[in-house]
Amino acid sequence: MILGQTVQVKIKTQKYYMKANKQMQRHQKRIIYTAMIFILLILIYVTGSKLYFKNIFFLHGNSGKTVWESEDLQKTGHDFQLQDDGSFLSRSSDPWFTVEESFSVKTILLDIREISEKHDAQVFFYSDNEELDAGNSYYFQLKEGINYLQIPEKNFHKFRLDLTDHSGIKLGINSITLYGSRVVPARFLISIITAWGLLSWILYRKMFLNKKIRKCAHPSTPSEVFQGKIHSLSYLRVLALGMILYDHLCGMRNSAWILKKAVDFILCTPLNIIQDFGALGVSLFYLITGFLFLHTNRKKENGIASACRKVILLYLFTLISTVIFGIFQYGFNSISPTYWAQFSLKDWTGCATLISYFSGVGDMVNGTTWFLIPLFAFYILSSICYKFSGKNISAYLLLLEGISALLVILGIYGSRQANTAYLSSLIPFIYIPIIGVIVYLWVSHMLSCTGAAVSGGIAYITMTLAFYRLNRVYYAENPYIISIICAALLLLLFIAGEHAFKEQVIITFLEKISLSLYLVHMTWGSFLMSFLESRIRFSLSFILTLGFLIFVAWLHYRLIETGLLKKFNYKT
């Protein structure tokens, strides 16, 4: 009797917890859905604004509004003659109207009643602080009806309207209205709301009505492609490290070196590989990070805590290694000043703590730590998206790419401020590990070819736009994207040949010290190269420096990475 009651209580308890768990999952899905449709609205609006206005304009501003009638325009017109019917006739090939206000103008509405012949028109915008300049202008096609002129996000309040570039053109102008707030056509808003509603409905069906959504946490048998360590990535990581060492210690130091000339002639110049393979090596590191993120965190219960712990350990390692090199330089500079003698304690502190990246200065002491900022952002962002998506592939990717796109939008505004311009320029690099995630999902059969193509295509387009707006140098002058594409092809090639890679002692050793070697090569390596290259042959200088760096990196690995920080990691 008692046993039967106990069983019934256990069954009721299990049913209660199952019901509570289902309710929690439903609430979690609703929260995720709400967040995703909000992100979706912003992305659709930004895309629509870019296509419609050729720029991104948000609905904001002040309450200022002024209407200019024909009588007002007659006083400010140049080479325009007012006709009896209230229209204007151009008397030269360069007539214009000037209008100005006391408030910052965001939108100008031209209400044109008639126009005898259509030609190109031009609007100039300036202010008390900025003179009339062709750079602050754009052309548009004047048409009958309402013409919307969107003014860039600056405090412009003076305007010259060249509504035609021909003589003898008759213009019937009902009014010209200047708005302090952003005004957009109704059809634009209707199109945005329609597209948003349609995509939100599709997303709702995908999340709530489709019962066959595949989970990352419980993959099907084909997705269990990789078991344990992936040896091909160990080789690829060492290759990436070699590219970066070649760039910083050889390519950028001696352009006349015969090996560099040969490599440039055979590979760098015809393939347009920038930075002597440095960009390619960094791209490989980022792709490997993204590829391994789900491979190592897919079955963890608390991925956010794991990612935060990894970020803290990397940060502490950077801090400690910089302090060690700074103490060494302080002692050595008292004997013979080096390049690092020029930096103050404030510069060293900004480098060691990475604060210099958030103050707009960047790292002048160790030029390689910038790599950590996008890496930290990816770890935190990806782990949060994976957790709150309920380990649903579609929701995870949509959330990850959506929030990354929001970061790009924030970066566009941040790039206009001196303190955040440098930090904004690093945002495009977040997309490289995202591409690595997509590659992992595809080769693990957790994402279809169509899904991988769509996700990868969106990531590529957004990344390209991000480089164009936030880091223009790496978009055209030094195209980083070519190196990213080459890195992705190398990743696929190595993964496809995974069966051919076996564990090697040397590769395993170099992979273990790869983080240490990356963080110390620019400081300790440049220090020793500067000392040796003026005394012995360059090739011998590089070989000796490479051996010295491996030893220093091994010391950092033993004393800091697996010594001091291992104890910290155990306690946390």
Side-chain angles (χ1 to χ4, degrees):
M1 183 71 177
I2 297 176
L3 181 61
Q5 290 178 349
T6 305
V7 171
Q8 288 181 354
V9 170
K10 286 185 177 180
I11 292 174
K12 288 182 180 180
T13 304
Q14 288 178 352
K15 287 182 178 180
Y16 171 78
Y17 281 115
M18 288 176 63
K19 184 178 180 181
N21 188 36
K22 287 183 179 179
Q23 289 179 346
M24 186 183 298
Q25 288 180 352
R26 281 197 295 268
H27 287 307
Q28 191 180 46
K29 270 191 174 184
R30 287 168 186 159
I31 293 172
I32 294 170
Y33 176 73
T34 303
M36 286 198 295
I37 62 173
F38 174 74
I39 294 171
L40 193 62
L41 175 61
I42 297 176
L43 293 178
I44 292 173
Y45 181 87
V46 168
T47 304
S49 177
K50 189 69 177 178
L51 294 174
Y52 195 92
F53 301 115
K54 303 294 187 286
N55 209 331
I56 300 173
F57 296 117
F58 290 102
L59 304 179
H60 69 99
N62 55 71
S63 58
K65 177 183 176 182
T66 303
V67 180
W68 292 66
E69 305 288 351
S70 298
E71 294 77 9
D72 304 316
L73 294 172
Q74 182 184 7
K75 301 175 184 178
T76 63
H78 174 77
D79 285 348
F80 271 117
Q81 183 178 8
L82 183 64
Q83 305 298 298
D84 295 335
D85 59 355
S87 61
F88 291 92
L89 183 69
S90 61
R91 295 185 299 176
S92 72
S93 59
D94 189 24
W96 69 75
F97 295 103
T98 57
V99 293
E100 63 177 271
E101 288 303 331
S102 59
F103 54 85
S104 177
V105 177
K106 295 291 186 292
T107 304
I108 300 177
L109 260 62
L110 306 177
D111 188 359
I112 306 299
R113 182 175 63 254
E114 69 170 306
I115 178 171
S116 61
E117 189 175 338
K118 293 182 180 180
H119 293 284
D120 287 334
Q122 188 176 12
V123 56
F124 293 85
F125 28 87
Y126 53 106
S127 63
D128 295 332
N129 299 325
E130 297 189 39
E131 298 181 355
L132 186 68
D133 183 13
N136 290 333
S137 69
Y138 66 83
Y139 289 92
F140 64 96
Q141 187 72 42
L142 189 67
K143 63 181 185 299
E144 294 181 359
I146 303 296
N147 295 261
Y148 291 81
L149 304 183
Q150 303 297 342
I151 308 303
E153 296 289 347
K154 284 187 178 181
N155 295 321
F156 294 118
H157 62 93
K158 295 182 179 181
F159 307 93
R160 197 181 95 174
L161 303 171
D162 296 13
L163 300 183
T164 182
D165 56 358
H166 283 68
S167 177
I169 303 299
K170 184 179 181 181
L171 287 174
I173 304 176
N174 291 330
S175 64
I176 296 179
T177 308
L178 278 66
Y179 289 92
S181 58
R182 189 71 64 190
V183 180
V184 297
R187 60 179 178 273
F188 170 74
L189 290 178
I190 292 172
S191 301
I192 295 298
I193 293 172
T194 302
W196 180 54
L198 179 62
L199 292 177
S200 297
W201 176 74
I202 293 173
L203 182 61
Y204 180 83
R205 287 198 60 183
K206 184 73 174 175
M207 291 185 65
F208 296 99
L209 303 182
N210 188 358
K211 304 298 183 181
K212 297 182 179 180
I213 296 178
R214 192 178 297 170
K215 302 270 187 168
C216 282
H218 306 286
S220 58
T221 303
S223 66
E224 299 289 353
V225 175
F226 302 109
Q227 298 288 342
K229 186 175 180 179
I230 306 174
H231 295 296
S232 58
L233 295 187
S234 300
Y235 284 79
L236 192 60
R237 195 192 301 271
V238 173
L239 176 63
L241 184 61
M243 291 178 177
I244 294 172
L245 293 176
Y246 169 78
D247 171 31
H248 291 161
L249 300 180
C250 298
M252 66 181 293
R253 298 187 69 91
N254 189 353
S255 58
W257 193 29
I258 186 170
L259 179 61
K260 172 178 165 51
K261 288 184 176 181
V263 171
D264 287 350
F265 180 79
I266 297 172
L267 295 173
C268 293
T269 301
L271 297 179
N272 201 12
I273 302 297
I274 64 171
Q275 298 180 350
D276 296 301
F277 291 102
L280 181 56
V282 169
S283 300
L284 282 172
F285 270 131
Y286 277 134
L287 285 172
I288 293 170
T289 299
F291 189 92
L292 291 177
F293 177 80
L294 284 182
H295 182 67
T296 56
N297 293 280
R298 192 157 52 91
K299 297 179 181 179
K300 289 183 179 179
E301 291 296 327
N302 198 344
I304 297 178
S306 176
C308 290
R309 188 162 54 248
K310 182 175 290 188
V311 168
I312 292 172
L313 291 174
L314 284 173
Y315 180 80
L316 290 176
F317 183 88
T318 305
L319 177 65
I320 296 170
S321 64
T322 305
V323 170
I324 292 173
F325 183 72
I327 293 172
F328 170 78
Q329 281 296 317
Y330 178 78
F332 193 88
N333 286 329
S334 61
I335 303 172
S336 176
T338 65
Y339 164 80
W340 289 271
Q342 62 181 305
F343 299 118
S344 63
L345 180 61
K346 182 180 178 181
D347 296 330
W348 283 95
T349 304
C351 167
T353 60
L354 304 182
I355 293 176
S356 57
Y357 291 107
F358 296 87
S359 59
V361 178
D363 187 357
M364 298 176 292
V365 177
N366 184 351
T368 60
T369 53
W370 70 267
F371 170 86
L372 297 173
I373 305 299
L375 185 68
F376 290 168
F378 168 76
Y379 275 139
I380 302 299
L381 177 61
S382 187
S383 60
I384 291 174
C385 292
Y386 187 64
K387 174 69 174 179
F388 285 95
S389 65
K391 301 180 180 180
N392 178 291
I393 295 175
S394 302
Y396 165 66
L397 286 178
L398 185 59
L399 204 58
L400 182 61
E401 296 199 43
I403 296 178
S404 300
L406 285 181
L407 288 178
V408 173
I409 296 171
L410 292 175
I412 292 174
Y413 285 91
S415 63
R416 299 168 184 168
Q417 306 296 325
N419 290 340
T420 55
Y422 188 87
L423 188 64
S424 298
S425 69
L426 300 178
I427 293 177
F429 294 96
I430 298 176
Y431 279 93
I432 307 178
I434 291 177
I435 294 173
V437 170
I438 296 171
V439 172
Y440 174 79
L441 292 173
W442 178 56
V443 299
S444 299
H445 308 298
M446 286 184 274
L447 196 63
S448 65
C449 290
T450 303
V454 172
S455 302
I458 293 173
Y460 173 80
I461 292 171
T462 314
M463 178 182 65
T464 303
L465 292 173
F467 271 114
Y468 178 76
R469 292 303 301 268
L470 302 177
N471 207 327
R472 190 71 61 88
V473 174
Y474 284 151
Y475 171 77
E477 296 179 27
N478 297 299
Y480 218 98
I481 296 175
I482 294 178
S483 296
I484 297 171
I485 294 173
C486 292
L489 293 175
L490 276 174
L491 176 63
L492 289 172
L493 181 64
F494 273 63
I495 290 298
E498 167 65 16
H499 62 279
F501 293 94
K502 306 299 179 183
E503 187 170 3
Q504 296 287 341
V505 176
I506 296 177
I507 298 297
T508 302
F509 171 74
L510 291 176
E511 184 189 25
K512 284 182 179 180
I513 66 169
S514 59
L515 172 64
S516 303
L517 193 52
Y518 175 81
L519 289 175
V520 304
H521 81 275
M522 198 65 172
T523 49
W524 292 94
S526 298
F527 165 74
L528 188 59
M529 282 293 293
S530 299
F531 179 79
L532 293 178
E533 62 185 349
S534 60
R535 293 170 171 82
I536 59 177
R537 295 178 63 87
F538 185 82
S539 301
L540 184 58
S541 300
F542 174 67
I543 294 172
L544 292 176
T545 301
L546 187 60
F548 173 74
L549 278 178
I550 292 174
F551 174 71
V552 172
W554 175 78
L555 284 178
H556 279 67
Y557 173 75
R558 290 298 303 269
L559 300 178
I560 304 175
E561 195 171 347
T562 61
L564 182 63
L565 295 184
K566 188 175 182 180
K567 295 178 181 178
F568 172 83
N569 188 29
Y570 175 76
K571 292 180 180 180
T572 55

